[in-house]
């Protein structure tokens, strides 16, 4: 069976000591990986990792919306099973720098980019920050269209605004709405625009997303880990997530759809490869 972790962060500091070994293990166990940048340094590292492998490991480059503001915050996933302190640099988007990275043949998408209205702090000028996120997202869409690649989208508490931007600023190669936690109705709006829905370990935390899994056609789903975060059950929440655990996400989808894990692996891998143009 071949699996495709469409959204991983082996390029993050959690894998500083063993990232290359983790990726080798993934390939040995039939898991392709797309490492996703959240700022220039991790985007660059994703490309460096991808260049070390002839096939099976790719890079995605961009700025996560939280990194547009300097500060730090405690990250909790939607089901409050883990908490991580994350520092943000307040990076300024430099089009030409990212354009150079994005042109690399190992880069299969632009991201993770998008909107995050969840992590504002008490003293933030929320409207200013929202407008900055929107402006940078539109510039990244322009960049994605220039290099002819899809986008990897992050969205938290901002689905309506994201939908409006995508409708008014079409991405030619479409892309993936990663770590989706909304309703089927919301997912369908993005599917109608041509986007795939990324599901990860969050769907294994209980029954909250069972209906979503059942109602989305498998042809519109890609699987991911978002590692080192969101470790799927039955793994312990304190355990570092890794791309090989994407198999547990596939197993949950298979169980809810009453189909084989093999079918989930085959279809979601083809979905990812088609989206990424590989």
């Amino acid at each position: 069976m071949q699996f495709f972790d469409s959204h991983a962060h082996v390029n993050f500091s959690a894998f500083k000591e063993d990232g290359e070994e983790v990726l080798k293990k993934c390939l040995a166990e039939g898991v392709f990986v797309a490492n996703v940048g959240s700022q220039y340094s991790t985007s660059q590292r994703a490309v460096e990792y991808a260049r070390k492998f002839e096939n099976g490991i790719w890079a995605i480059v961009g700025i996560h919306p939280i990194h547009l503001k300097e500060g730090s915050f405690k990250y909790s996933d939607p089901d409050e099973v883990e908490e991580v302190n994350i520092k943000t640099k307040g990076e300024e988007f430099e089009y030409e720098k990212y354009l150079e990275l994005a042109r690399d043949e190992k880069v299969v998408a632009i991201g993770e980019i998008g909107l995050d209205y969840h992590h504002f702090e008490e003293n933030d000028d929320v409207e200013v920050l929202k407008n900055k996120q929107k402006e940078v997202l539109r510039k990244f869409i322009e960049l994605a269209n220039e290099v002819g690649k899809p986008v990897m989208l992050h969205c938290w508490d901002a689905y309506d605004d994201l939908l409006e931007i995508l409708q008014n600023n079409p991405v030619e190669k479409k892309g993936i709405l990663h770590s989706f936690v909304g309703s089927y109705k919301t997912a369908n709006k993005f599917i109608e625009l041509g986007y795939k829905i990324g599901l990860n370990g969050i769907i294994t935390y209980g029954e909250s997303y069972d209906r979503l899994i059942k109602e989305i056609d498998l042809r519109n789903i890609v699987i991911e880990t978002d590692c080192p975060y969101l470790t799927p059950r039955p793994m312990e929440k304190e355990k570092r997530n890794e791309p090989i655990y994407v198999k547990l996400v596939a197993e949950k989808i298979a169980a809810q759809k009453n189909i084989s894990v093999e079918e989930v692996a085959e279809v979601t891998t083809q979905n990812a490869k088609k989206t990424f143009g590989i």
Side-chain angles (χ1 to χ4, degrees):
M1 273 189 291
Q2 183 69 61
F3 296 85
F4 201 134
D5 183 356
S6 61
H7 191 115
H9 298 295
V10 180
N11 49 322
F12 278 17
S13 58
F15 296 94
K16 187 176 181 180
E17 303 300 325
D18 64 346
E20 195 168 339
E21 288 70 30
V22 167
L23 293 173
K24 286 178 181 176
K25 183 170 71 171
C26 289
L27 295 181
E29 296 198 20
V31 179
F32 288 159
V33 180
N35 278 317
V36 184
S38 64
Q39 54 192 317
Y40 189 78
S41 60
T42 52
S43 294
Q44 199 170 35
R45 200 175 304 136
V47 174
E48 289 168 1
Y49 268 136
R51 286 173 177 166
K52 291 177 187 240
F53 297 87
E54 185 176 346
N55 189 40
I57 308 296
W58 292 274
I60 297 175
V61 300
I63 306 176
H64 190 297
I66 64 167
H67 282 290
L68 298 173
K69 179 178 86 81
E70 185 175 2
S72 67
F73 63 89
K74 295 219 179 277
Y75 166 81
S76 296
D77 69 76
D79 286 81
E80 304 296 332
V81 298
E82 63 178 309
E83 189 171 83
V84 182
N85 192 56
I86 296 177
K87 292 183 178 179
T88 57
K89 287 189 172 181
E91 181 178 339
E92 290 297 325
F93 173 54
E94 295 182 60
Y95 192 97
E96 293 301 323
K97 279 177 66 174
Y98 276 94
L99 180 61
E100 184 179 359
L101 268 187
R103 283 180 168 147
D104 193 288
E105 62 180 11
K106 286 288 190 175
V107 172
V108 293
I110 306 304
E112 80 191 79
I113 58 176
L115 304 175
D116 191 314
Y117 296 172
H118 185 78
H119 291 111
F120 295 136
E121 296 172 295
E122 191 175 341
N123 296 322
D124 285 343
D125 189 328
V126 171
E127 287 310 308
V128 168
L129 290 173
K130 283 183 177 181
N131 287 333
K132 185 171 186 178
Q133 289 186 16
K134 292 175 183 178
E135 178 188 359
V136 171
L137 174 56
R138 286 190 286 264
K139 288 179 179 176
F140 265 119
I141 289 173
E142 180 184 340
L143 189 152
N145 287 338
E146 180 170 348
V147 296
K149 293 179 181 180
V151 293
M152 176 66 70
L153 296 165
H154 168 95
C155 188
W156 202 336
D157 293 344
Y159 286 125
D160 288 344
D161 281 2
L162 178 60
L163 189 67
E164 183 180 359
I165 288 174
L166 295 177
Q167 289 168 334
N168 294 329
N169 304 267
V171 182
E172 292 169 11
K173 298 292 184 178
K174 306 305 180 185
I176 295 167
L177 188 55
H178 117 91
S179 194
F180 185 77
V181 292
S183 67
Y184 168 72
K185 287 183 178 179
T186 300
N188 204 45
K189 291 176 183 177
F190 290 94
I191 290 168
E192 287 174 354
L193 280 183
Y195 289 83
K196 302 298 183 191
I197 302 299
L199 300 179
N200 56 35
I202 292 173
I203 67 170
T204 70
Y205 296 165
E207 300 175 356
S208 304
Y209 299 100
D210 289 1
R211 184 180 175 190
L212 176 73
I213 297 167
K214 291 172 184 174
E215 292 185 335
I216 299 180
D217 193 300
L218 191 61
R219 293 173 298 179
N220 296 317
I221 295 173
V222 294
I223 55 176
E224 59 170 77
T225 60
D226 203 16
C227 67
Y229 316 112
L230 304 176
T231 307
R233 301 295 160 267
M235 306 299 297
E236 302 226 352
K237 65 181 181 181
E238 295 84 6
K239 186 172 179 64
R240 180 184 71 174
N241 199 5
E242 297 184 11
I244 56 170
Y245 301 143
V246 78
K247 297 174 183 180
L248 298 173
V249 179
E251 288 173 7
K252 171 76 174 189
I253 294 171
Q256 289 305 309
K257 286 188 170 296
N258 197 27
I259 57 177
S260 68
V261 176
E262 287 82 0
E263 183 177 351
V264 175
E266 180 181 357
V267 175
T268 58
T269 294
Q270 288 306 313
N271 291 345
K273 291 176 75 173
K274 185 177 179 180
T275 300
F276 294 144
I278 53 180

